[in-house]
Amino acid sequence: MSELSCDIGIGGMTCASCVARVERAIAKLPGVESVSVNLATESARVTWAASSPDEDAQTQQARLRRAVRDAGYEPLAAEHLEQGPVGAWVGFAPVAIGLLLSGPLILPMLGDVLGQHWMLPALWQFLLATPVQFVLGARFYKAGWYALLAGSGNMDLLVALGTTAGWALSVWLWLTAPVEAMVHLYFEGSAVVITLVLLGKWLEARAKRQTTDAIRALHALRPARARIITSDGEVDIPIEELLVGDRLVVLPGERFAADGVVLEGQTQVDEAMLTGEPLPVHKNVGSRVTGGSINGEGRVVMRVRATGTTTVLANIIRLVEDAQAAKAPIQRLVDQVSAVFVPVVLVLALVTLLAWWFTGHSVEVSLIHCVAVLVIACPCALGLATPAAIMAGTGVAAKYGILIKDAQALEVAHQVDTVAFDKTGTLTIGQPRLLSLHDIQDIGASTTHALPMLSLAASLQSGSEHPLAHAVVQAAKAKHMDHVAPEAVKAVAGFGSEGVVQGRRLLLGSLRWMTELGVPAGEWQARAAALQAEGATVSIMAERTPQGVVALAVLAFGDEPKPGVHEALTKLRARGLCLAMISGDNVGAAQAMAARLGLHTDEVHAEVMPGDKAALVKRLQRNVGGAPHVVAFVGDGINDAPALAAADVGLAMANLNADGQRGGTDVAMQAAGITLMRGDVALVAGALDISARTVAKIRQNLFWAFVYNAAGIPLAAMGYLSPVVAGAAMALSSVSVMTNALLLKRWKP
C-alpha cells in the first residue's frame, strides 16, 4: 500500500470554524491518513494511502474536490498561490458598492451630532439596505447554510443571523408603525455591518497576498523559456520541455533555466535566491550552476543535470510550502476552541435576548443587543493568528537563506538552550590538507624523502570520497606525482579504507583502527602523539603482510576554521546558550581546534564515531536532577542525519564541496527541520531568532484574539456596543492580526 499526498486550494473559507469543517469533510474520505487545512493560504495538504495500484492521484484528487464542494466551499487549483502580483484594489468593487449604499443610511447619525435631522423615509432606507443585505451579503447566507447542513457554524452564519435579525426587525417596525409616525429603524446597522465585514475581508485578503509573497517570488525565479543548442542551431523552448543532458546557452543577465554544469565560458553568478548571500560567485568550466540564479557578465554554455521537481529551486519551494502548509502544535488549541466556539456564541446570543426581554425591555432592544453579540463574536482572528505568523516568518527566513521545513521546528527552536555542532564542514572549512607525511622506516626523514610513500597513499585514497582522502590526492598532485588506480577498495566505516596498490594490500586509517588490528608498537606512536598534541589529525598507512599488519607511514592533516565562526559562537554564548563541538578527531586535535574557535575544554566531545553522534545528542538532552535540555544539532553530511533527527531541532548546513556540489547535504536536509542554505554559522542565531519572533507573534495574535472575544462579547451582551460598532471591531480584529504578523517581514538576521 503506497502513500500519496497532494495540495488542493479551497475558496470561501472565512474563519477557524470553516477550517475545522473542511478538515472533517476530507478526513471522512476512505484512505485519508492526515489532512491539514491552512486558512491563510486557503489550501489543504492531504495524505492518503492508495488501496490499490489502480487508485491513482488523479482519482483521489477528484474525490477531495467533491468533498470540498459538498462541504460548501470552492475547490481551487493548488497553483492559485503562484499567480503573479495583482492590483492593490482588486476585489474592492463589492465594498465600494456597499459604501455607496450604506453612506446615506449613516448620514442621520452624523446629522444628530450636528443637531440636524436627516432621517430618510423608511422606504428609501429599505431600498438602500436590501441590496446590501441580500445581494452583497449573499455569500454569508450561502456559507452559513452549508455550515448548518454540516451541523456546525462559522463566521458567515453569525453575520447572516445577526444582520438578518436587524433587517427583519426594521421591516417589522416599519410595517406595524402607525401611518405618518416617525419610527427608529435599524436598516443602517445591518447594511453597515455587512459593508464593514466585506471591507475587513478585503483588507485581510490584501494582507494574505503579502504573506504569500515569498512563494510567489520563488516561483517567479523560474524563467519561462530556455535556449538550447541543437543540430539546427540555438532554439528557444519552454522549460517544461528541457531534458537532462541538453546544452543551454545563457546570456548575461538571464536566469539559468535548470541545474547543471558549465561547459564553456566563465562568469559571475548571483545566487542570492539560493543562499541569501548577495555577493556574486565566480563560475568557470566544470562549476555547478543552479536554476533560478542570475548570470552575470559572461555568456556561458551549460549542460542540464536536473529539471522540474528535481532542481534545487524546486526543493526550496517545496520546503517553504511544506512549512507554510503545516500546523504548529499551538494550533491544536485553536482547533479545539473553534470546534465549540460558534455553538457557544449562539447560546450566548439567545441568553442575551432572553435576559434583556425578561428584565422588562422591549423585543426591539433585546434583539439589537443579541445582534451585537452575534456580530462581534467572529472567530476569524483565531483562525488567522497562527498561520499568518508562520507564513510571514518562514517567508522572510527563506529570503535570507534559512529554510524552515516544518512548523514544529519553528515553534521549538526558540526554546533551544544547547547547540551542538559537528566540527568538520560545519565549524571548519571541511577541506583538510595534508600537513606532513613521515616514513616509518626513516622516522627522521623529511617529507621530500617520503614522496614514494605519498604516491602509494594517493593511489589508495583515489578510490575514496573522504575529505582526508581528497587531501592526500591533492598533495600528490601538487608534487606532480602520479598515482595508479587501486583495486578491491573497501571503506571501513569510522576507521578508514583498504585496497590493493601494485600488488600490495594497503590500509590507511585512524590510530584506533591500527590498535584494533594489532599493529606492532614502534617509534611511529611517539611521532603520532606529538602531531596530535600540536592539533593535527593523524592517520596511519599500513600494509598487510604474511607477518601481520605493519605500519608504513604517519600522515598529519589540518583544517581551518570558517571565517566568522569565532564571532558567531561568541554571540550564541551571549544569548545564554550552552555550546558543544562533536568531532571524530582525537582529543588533542579536537581541543586544539576548539581553542582556535573560542570553545571551552568542557564543550568538546572528541573521538565520537559517526554512529554515536545521535546517542551523544540524546545524552546532552538529559539533565540529571533538572528539566531536560532542548538541543539543536548543526551538521552538514550524510553521517550527521541520525543526530539531526535525534535533536529537538536539526539544522542542516548546505555546504558546497570543491566541485560545487552539496555532497551529503540533501540527506541531511531530509532529516533536519531547518536548512541553512549557506555554510555560515551566524545563520544558526538567525534561525533561533526568527523562531522566537514568530512564536511571539503567534502568542500576541492568539492573546488579542481571545481577549477581543472575552471582552467584546460581554460588552455587547450588556448593551455597551451597537451592531455597527461591533461590526467595525470584528473587522478590525482580523486586519490587526494580519498586520501584526506582517511586521515579521521587516526582520533581518
Side-chain angles (χ1 to χ4, degrees):
M1 183 178 291
S2 60
E3 188 176 90
L4 303 173
S5 65
C6 73
D7 293 334
I8 181 173
I10 302 170
M13 294 190 299
T14 55
C15 65
S17 297
C18 296
V19 171
R21 191 160 91 251
V22 174
E23 287 185 342
R24 286 197 299 270
I26 294 177
K28 292 178 182 177
L29 293 176
V32 171
E33 294 185 342
S34 66
V35 54
S36 175
V37 176
N38 189 313
L39 177 61
T41 61
E42 296 182 315
S43 63
R45 168 67 53 83
V46 185
T47 302
W48 72 90
S51 57
S52 68
D54 297 331
E55 185 179 25
D56 58 6
Q58 188 173 358
T59 302
Q60 184 66 13
Q61 287 185 34
R63 291 199 185 104
L64 295 177
R65 292 173 177 276
R66 180 72 59 83
V68 169
R69 192 176 298 280
D70 291 345
Y73 300 94
E74 184 69 23
L76 304 172
E79 293 76 20
H80 71 292
L81 290 179
E82 299 181 28
Q83 299 171 359
V86 295
W89 295 96
V90 99
F92 188 72
V95 181
I97 295 172
L99 291 172
L100 288 174
L101 294 175
S102 302
L105 294 174
I106 60 174
L107 278 178
M109 299 171 61
L110 300 176
D112 289 342
V113 176
L114 301 174
Q116 302 293 323
H117 298 286
W118 295 339
M119 182 68 69
L120 292 174
L123 177 60
W124 280 103
Q125 294 185 50
F126 173 80
L127 292 176
L128 289 170
T130 301
V132 177
Q133 182 70 47
F134 296 105
V135 179
L136 299 181
R139 55 178 287 181
F140 303 115
Y141 288 101
K142 178 183 177 182
W145 173 248
Y146 278 112
L148 283 177
L149 291 179
S152 64
N154 59 6
M155 179 212 80
D156 303 285
L157 180 63
L158 297 180
V159 173
L161 288 176
T163 57
T164 301
W167 181 89
L169 174 63
S170 300
V171 171
W172 180 69
L173 291 174
W174 171 34
L175 296 178
T176 58
V179 180
E180 302 297 332
M182 181 64 72
V183 62
H184 182 75
L185 305 177
Y186 298 94
F187 284 119
E188 84 284 350
S190 299
V192 171
V193 164
I194 286 180
T195 302
L196 287 173
V197 173
L198 291 175
L199 176 61
K201 301 307 290 182
W202 177 75
L203 292 171
E204 180 186 308
R206 285 189 62 182
K208 283 180 183 177
R209 287 197 291 271
Q210 293 184 56
T211 62
T212 56
D213 280 350
I215 291 291
R216 266 188 266 269
L218 288 171
H219 282 293
L221 294 175
R222 296 183 294 196
R225 303 185 70 82
R227 188 179 295 106
I228 69 169
I229 299 176
T230 68
S231 57
D232 298 326
E234 298 180 8
V235 180
D236 274 2
I237 65 169
I239 63 168
E240 292 80 11
E241 298 178 14
L242 280 180
L243 300 174
V244 173
D246 282 343
R247 290 188 301 153
L248 306 184
V249 174
V250 185
L251 300 179
E254 292 184 342
R255 291 190 183 274
F256 289 91
D259 295 355
V261 61
V262 176
L263 296 178
E264 301 175 17
Q266 58 181 347
T267 187
Q268 300 285 330
V269 176
D270 179 0
E271 295 184 335
M273 48 68 64
L274 174 66
T275 65
E277 176 58 57
L279 297 178
V281 180
H282 181 72
K283 301 288 184 179
N284 50 29
V285 175
S287 298
R288 289 271 181 161
V289 289
T290 304
S293 56
I294 303 174
N295 186 22
E297 76 285 353
R299 175 188 183 275
V300 296
V301 177
M302 62 169 284
R303 186 177 301 282
V304 176
R305 292 288 183 86
T307 63
T309 59
T310 62
T311 64
V312 172
L313 178 59
N315 193 35
I316 292 174
I317 293 174
R318 188 161 52 250
L319 286 174
V320 176
E321 287 178 337
D322 287 348
Q324 295 192 344
K327 285 189 177 182
I330 198 172
Q331 182 70 19
R332 298 191 192 103
L333 174 63
V334 178
D335 293 341
Q336 292 170 359
V337 171
S338 65
V340 298
F341 186 83
V342 173
V344 169
V345 169
L346 293 174
V347 171
L348 290 176
L350 179 61
V351 170
T352 300
L353 173 66
L354 296 176
W356 281 89
W357 188 27
F358 288 158
T359 54
H361 296 83
S362 65
V363 173
E364 173 185 340
V365 172
S366 304
L367 192 57
I368 288 301
H369 296 321
C370 171
V371 169
V373 171
L374 289 172
V375 170
I376 200 169
C378 171
C380 296
L382 283 176
L384 291 168
T386 301
I390 288 176
M391 291 176 65
T394 55
V396 72
K399 178 181 176 182
Y400 292 102
I402 302 171
L403 297 185
I404 299 170
K405 181 179 175 182
D406 58 63
Q408 183 169 351
L410 180 68
E411 186 172 330
V412 173
H414 79 285
Q415 303 172 352
V416 167
D417 57 23
T418 303
V419 183
F421 294 89
D422 172 57
K423 179 180 76 70
T424 304
T426 304
L427 297 177
T428 66
I429 294 175
Q431 296 176 2
R433 56 191 180 91
L434 181 65
L435 302 177
S436 62
L437 186 150
H438 302 273
D439 194 327
I440 300 300
Q441 307 304 320
D442 183 10
I443 202 67
S446 66
T447 305
T448 303
H449 294 119
L451 289 182
M453 198 64 71
L454 176 58
S455 180
L456 282 176
S459 298
L460 174 62
Q461 296 295 71
S462 64
S464 172
E465 295 296 328
H466 194 279
L468 296 184
H470 183 77
V472 173
V473 174
Q474 289 300 111
K477 288 181 179 179
K479 300 288 186 180
H480 304 290
M481 299 183 64
D482 295 329
H483 59 271
V484 298
E487 300 174 2
V489 176
K490 179 177 64 175
V492 183
F495 290 110
S497 59
E498 181 176 358
V500 177
V501 178
Q502 294 180 335
R504 304 175 66 178
R505 181 162 292 279
L506 303 178
L507 306 87
L508 201 157
S510 65
L511 296 177
R512 181 191 299 179
W513 191 24
M514 297 301 139
T515 301
E516 291 187 7
L517 291 172
V519 177
E523 218 174 317
W524 60 272
Q525 291 175 312
R527 171 65 69 181
L531 291 170
Q532 286 180 335
E534 296 172 4
T537 298
V538 176
S539 293
I540 304 297
M541 186 166 72
E543 181 179 5
R544 289 189 186 272
T545 68
Q547 293 75 34
V549 181
V550 179
L552 297 180
V554 179
L555 294 84
F557 300 89
D559 199 357
E560 292 295 321
K562 285 183 177 179
V565 169
H566 191 290
E567 294 78 6
L569 294 178
T570 300
K571 289 180 180 179
L572 287 172
R573 188 177 282 113
R575 293 169 64 102
L577 298 171
C578 299
L579 304 180
M581 184 183 81
I582 301 176
S583 173
D585 289 341
N586 61 80
V587 175
Q591 292 288 3
M593 180 57 71
R596 299 177 66 184
L597 296 171
L599 292 170
H600 304 150
T601 302
D602 60 349
E603 294 173 333
V604 178
H605 302 269
E607 299 182 359
V608 179
M609 299 290 288
D612 296 334
K613 290 181 181 178
L616 179 56
V617 166
K618 291 180 180 178
R619 283 208 307 274
L620 292 173
Q621 290 170 328
R622 292 194 294 269
N623 183 17
V624 180
H629 291 293
V630 181
V631 177
F633 180 79
V634 188
D636 73 318
I638 295 175
N639 61 7
D640 293 325
L644 289 166
D648 297 285
V649 179
L651 294 96
M653 189 170 284
N655 290 316
L656 297 179
N657 60 25
D659 298 322
Q661 302 180 47
R662 296 195 310 279
T665 300
D666 287 337
V667 177
M669 286 171 63
Q670 295 303 316
I674 299 175
T675 298
L676 310 178
M677 291 306 295
R678 65 178 188 271
D680 186 355
V681 178
L683 287 182
V684 175
L688 301 183
D689 185 57
I690 189 60
S691 166
R693 292 176 185 270
T694 303
V695 171
K697 288 298 181 187
I698 291 174
R699 290 174 174 170
Q700 291 168 16
N701 287 347
L702 288 176
F703 172 79
W704 288 114
F706 279 116
V707 167
Y708 161 82
N709 283 292
I713 293 176
L715 289 175
M718 290 186 290
Y720 291 110
L721 297 178
S722 70
V724 171
V725 174
M730 184 263 283
L732 182 62
S733 68
S734 298
V735 175
S736 63
V737 163
M738 296 297 299
T739 303
N740 187 43
L742 287 174
L743 292 176
L744 284 170
K745 295 184 71 174
R746 296 165 20 183
W747 175 84
K748 291 183 179 180

